[in-house]
């Protein structure tokens, strides 16, 4: 058995979930600036996530779900996941984002599992707080290591695909490290660099 671990935002989907949500309330540019800084590795991921989510306070959960269920899928994502399954991979995604987005995508794409955070709400309205197991810079790597142990999959049998600084921790535990339309901080640690928005290019490297 082999394992493919994908980042979610700007990897499996074409864009950042938080920015699509922010567009709804007219603060997309403000959130984009925080996101860009975090993905370049200039801001601690936990602090940047807390700041961005706090700005969504007051947004209805129904509206969040509607937006998240209609996020644009990255070119080639569904085809690539299907081909990886044929090659014997279990395919999972890690997201510093939210279950509102990863759960419907996982069903659509037939992912074997998705791991993400939870937006806190009261009476159907976001409170501006977030919780979960993928809140920190090293969260994806730590979770990947645990999954490898459970599945008895080695580093050499694992590929990791991401675009930003919070994907660096995944790279530590992957035999093949693919930077997809990525920030320079991730490209420096990658075995494979893909600068085209088409995930099928990774199939040449698995």
């Amino acid at each position: 058995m082999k394992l493919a671990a994908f980042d979610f935002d700007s990897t499996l989907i074409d864009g950042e979930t938080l920015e699509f949500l922010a567009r709804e309330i007219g603060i997309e540019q403000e959130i984009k600036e925080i996101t860009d800084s975090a993905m370049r590795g200039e801001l601690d991921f936990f602090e940047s996530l807390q700041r961005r989510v706090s700005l969504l306070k007051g947004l209805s959960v129904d509206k969040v779900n509607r937006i998240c269920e209609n996020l644009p899928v990255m070119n080639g994502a569904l085809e690539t996941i299907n081909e990886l399954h044929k090659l014997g991979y279990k395919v999972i995604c890690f997201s510093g984002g939210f279950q509102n987005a990863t759960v419907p995508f996982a069903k659509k794409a037939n992912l074997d599992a998705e791991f993400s955070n939870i937006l806190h709400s009261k009476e159907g309205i976001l409170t501006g707080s977030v919780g979960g197991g993928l809140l920190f810079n090293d969260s994806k790597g730590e979770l990947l290591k645990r999954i490898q142990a459970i599945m008895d999959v080695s580093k050499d049998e694992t590929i990791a695909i991401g675009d930003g600084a919070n994907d660096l921790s995944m790279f530590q535990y992957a035999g093949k490290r693919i930077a997809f339309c990525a920030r320079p901080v991730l490209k420096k640690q990658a075995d494979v660099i893909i600068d085209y928005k088409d995930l099928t290019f990774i199939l040449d490297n698995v």
Side-chain angles (χ1 to χ4, degrees), residues 5 16 20 27 32 80 88 91 98 112 127 136-137 161 196:
E16 296 287 323
F20 289 111
I27 57 167
K32 178 175 170 48
T80 299
V91 184
F98 320 110
D112 293 289
T127 64
F136 306 106
N137 288 333
I161 306 96
Y196 303 96

Side-chain angles (χ1 to χ4, degrees), residues 105-206:
F105 179 88
K107 292 177 181 176
K108 180 187 303 182
N110 196 30
L111 290 179
D112 293 289
E114 53 75 33
F115 303 89
S116 54
N117 294 316
I118 301 167
L119 289 168
H120 186 251
S121 63
K122 283 186 177 180
E123 298 178 355
I125 302 296
L126 297 189
T127 64
S129 296
V130 60
L134 287 163
L135 297 172
F136 306 106
N137 288 333
D138 63 351
S139 294
K140 292 181 180 181
E142 288 300 309
L143 186 52
L144 179 57
K145 179 172 65 172
R146 294 176 191 174
I147 292 169
Q148 287 171 325
I150 292 168
M151 294 177 60
D152 193 25
V153 171
S154 71
K155 177 178 179 177
D156 289 341
E157 295 167 320
T158 303
I159 62 172
I161 306 96
D163 75 306
N166 70 324
D167 297 314
L168 284 169
S169 65
M170 283 200 298
F171 276 17
Q172 293 181 53
Y173 303 102
K176 181 66 65 68
R177 304 176 294 273
I178 301 175
F180 179 76
C181 298
R183 313 298 171 125
V185 67
L186 195 69
K187 288 182 176 181
K188 290 177 183 177
Q189 303 298 324
D191 302 309
V192 176
I193 296 172
I194 296 170
D195 285 325
Y196 303 96
K197 280 192 172 185
D198 185 344
L199 277 173
T200 61
F201 280 102
I202 77 169
L203 296 171
D204 296 329
N205 297 281
V206 298

Side-chain angles (χ1 to χ4, degrees), residues 12-15 20 67-75 105 108:
L12 289 175
I13 65 160
D14 190 359
F20 289 111
I67 293 168
C68 288
E69 288 167 5
N70 292 284
L71 295 171
V73 177
M74 183 62 72
N75 289 335
F105 179 88
K108 180 187 303 182

Side-chain angles (χ1 to χ4, degrees), residues 8 13 17-18 20-21 62-72 98-102 104-105 108 119:
F8 184 70
I13 65 160
T17 302
L18 271 163
F20 289 111
L21 296 175
D62 284 345
K63 190 167 288 185
V64 169
N65 288 339
R66 187 166 64 251
I67 293 168
C68 288
E69 288 167 5
N70 292 284
L71 295 171
F98 320 110
Q99 290 182 355
N100 312 67
T102 58
F105 179 88
K108 180 187 303 182
L119 289 168

